[in-house]
Amino acid sequence: KVVARVGLDYASLKAVKPDVILVTATAFGTSGPYADRPGFDTVAQAMSGAMSLTGFPDVPVRTVVPFADYGTALHAALGVTTALYHRSRTGEGRAIDVSLLATSLTFMHPFLCERAMTDRVRGQQGNRSFYTAPSNTYRTRDGWVMVPTVGEWMFGRWAELVGRSEWIGNPRFADDLARADHAEEIDEVTSAWCAERTTEEVVAGFQEARLPAGPVYNLDEVLADPQVAAQGWLEHVAAPSDDTPVPLTRSPLAFADDTAAQRKPLSRAPRLGEHTDDVLAEVGFSIAEIGELRRESAV
């Protein structure tokens, strides 16, 4: 309603520029009983059911990563990309609506389908998977590891690794869901195996058996990880008011012919108004006109 009142709704903008592409991002969508409600990522997490399944029993827990925010931004970018392709073929613009709750529901889709179609009621169970085992975090002699497995072949390799080869072919562990139902027993064996070894030894053992496993890092360990460095996923850029470099994440989208030498260096976040002159010059204002705007405190 506010957007329409100030003339920034799709109909108003289309009257000025027929091929305009407009993205509207809201908490709950542009229609329905909640359309005018304010909301944030955590509200969408709560109302999608995600918090009811996250964490350990008794207290609903949000994820520290704001997936509704980030996911909605990605959906918006995908929508714009699709709209640009549509415009290149038809000359028509598009109006795109994205919302935090819609994104959260999309990510929760498998759980919602399961609940609607079965009698199973899920609850919080920490880091343990709902659908397979072993798949959990396990304490080592000097830290923690995350071990996810899926499928009969991985279970067989796990059983050989931890000395439970007699479990291969056991009806109690016949498939992923059966293994999930016996996760406590499987976790007990995995925990005992991991507890006798360092994190490095556990990860190496699982890798040798071609099973996924990774250390549970703290933030310092993430920043120091050799794979992160080798891929160039973090670029350290000087902060505007501090000598300490800020690690900025590069786009996770990499093209096959995109070499490190070809990548444009990342820019830090600008100070307020830092690029005003550059932006005004880019859209056609002369130096004299920009100076006049500054004298009039218009910018």
Side-chain angles (χ1 to χ4, degrees):
K1 294 180 181 179
V2 174
V3 171
R5 193 161 59 243
V6 297
L8 293 177
D9 60 296
Y10 183 64
S12 300
L13 295 174
K14 187 176 181 181
V16 177
K17 183 175 173 55
D19 65 349
V20 68
I21 295 171
L22 174 68
V23 177
T24 302
T26 63
F28 299 104
T30 55
S31 62
Y34 304 158
D36 292 331
R37 287 188 185 182
F40 284 138
D41 169 278
T42 47
V43 175
Q45 288 191 36
M47 295 180 64
S48 69
M51 287 179 61
S52 73
L53 300 182
T54 303
F56 293 87
D58 297 332
V59 178
V61 177
R62 69 172 178 88
T63 65
V64 69
V65 176
F67 71 83
D69 280 346
Y70 292 166
T72 300
L74 287 171
H75 287 150
L78 178 61
V80 170
T81 301
T82 305
L84 287 169
Y85 181 74
H86 175 79
R87 187 169 71 181
S88 72
R89 294 174 63 86
T90 66
E92 300 173 350
R94 301 296 293 271
I96 303 161
D97 290 339
V98 294
S99 74
L100 301 177
L101 185 55
T103 293
S104 297
L105 292 174
T106 298
F107 292 167
M108 286 295 294
H109 184 243
F111 297 103
L112 296 170
C113 286
E114 181 190 52
R115 182 67 194 100
M117 299 177 68
T118 71
D119 294 330
R120 188 183 290 268
V121 178
R122 297 289 183 187
Q124 296 161 292
Q125 55 184 46
N127 297 313
R128 181 180 291 170
S129 170
F130 291 107
Y131 302 117
T132 186
S135 188
N136 206 342
T137 49
Y138 304 96
R139 186 184 289 276
T140 67
R141 283 171 51 191
D142 58 356
W144 291 84
V145 294
M146 182 71 204
V147 175
T149 67
V150 63
E152 182 179 353
W153 287 1
M154 282 193 181
F155 179 73
R157 293 198 290 271
W158 167 86
E160 295 282 359
L161 177 67
V162 300
R164 287 294 189 277
S165 56
E166 70 275 12
W167 284 3
I168 299 173
N170 188 315
R172 291 186 301 131
F173 312 122
D175 55 31
D176 283 335
L177 290 178
R179 290 188 282 275
D181 289 339
H182 294 87
E184 187 171 342
E185 186 176 358
I186 292 172
D187 280 348
E188 184 177 340
V189 172
T190 311
S191 294
W193 190 88
C194 291
E196 297 175 350
R197 295 164 174 81
T198 66
T199 298
E200 185 176 355
E201 290 169 341
V202 170
V203 172
F206 274 82
Q207 291 298 322
E208 187 176 351
R210 299 303 298 158
L211 293 166
V216 179
Y217 279 160
N218 61 36
L219 299 187
D220 289 334
E221 290 168 323
V222 175
L223 293 171
D225 183 79
Q227 181 68 15
V228 174
Q231 289 290 311
W233 287 325
L234 294 177
E235 183 174 323
H236 291 77
V237 178
S241 59
D242 196 320
D243 292 333
T244 304
V246 178
L248 303 181
T249 53
R250 299 199 66 87
S251 170
L253 302 176
F255 295 95
D257 57 354
D258 182 21
T259 65
Q262 295 172 324
R263 292 174 184 168
K264 183 179 179 181
L266 295 179
S267 300
R268 58 167 172 76
R271 297 184 181 92
L272 181 64
E274 181 177 351
H275 298 137
T276 298
D277 288 4
D278 295 336
V279 172
L280 291 175
E282 189 175 307
V283 297
F285 285 86
S286 68
I287 294 177
E289 289 171 327
I290 294 173
E292 182 63 25
L293 289 171
R294 288 200 174 280
R295 283 190 293 274
E296 295 176 356
S297 298
V299 296

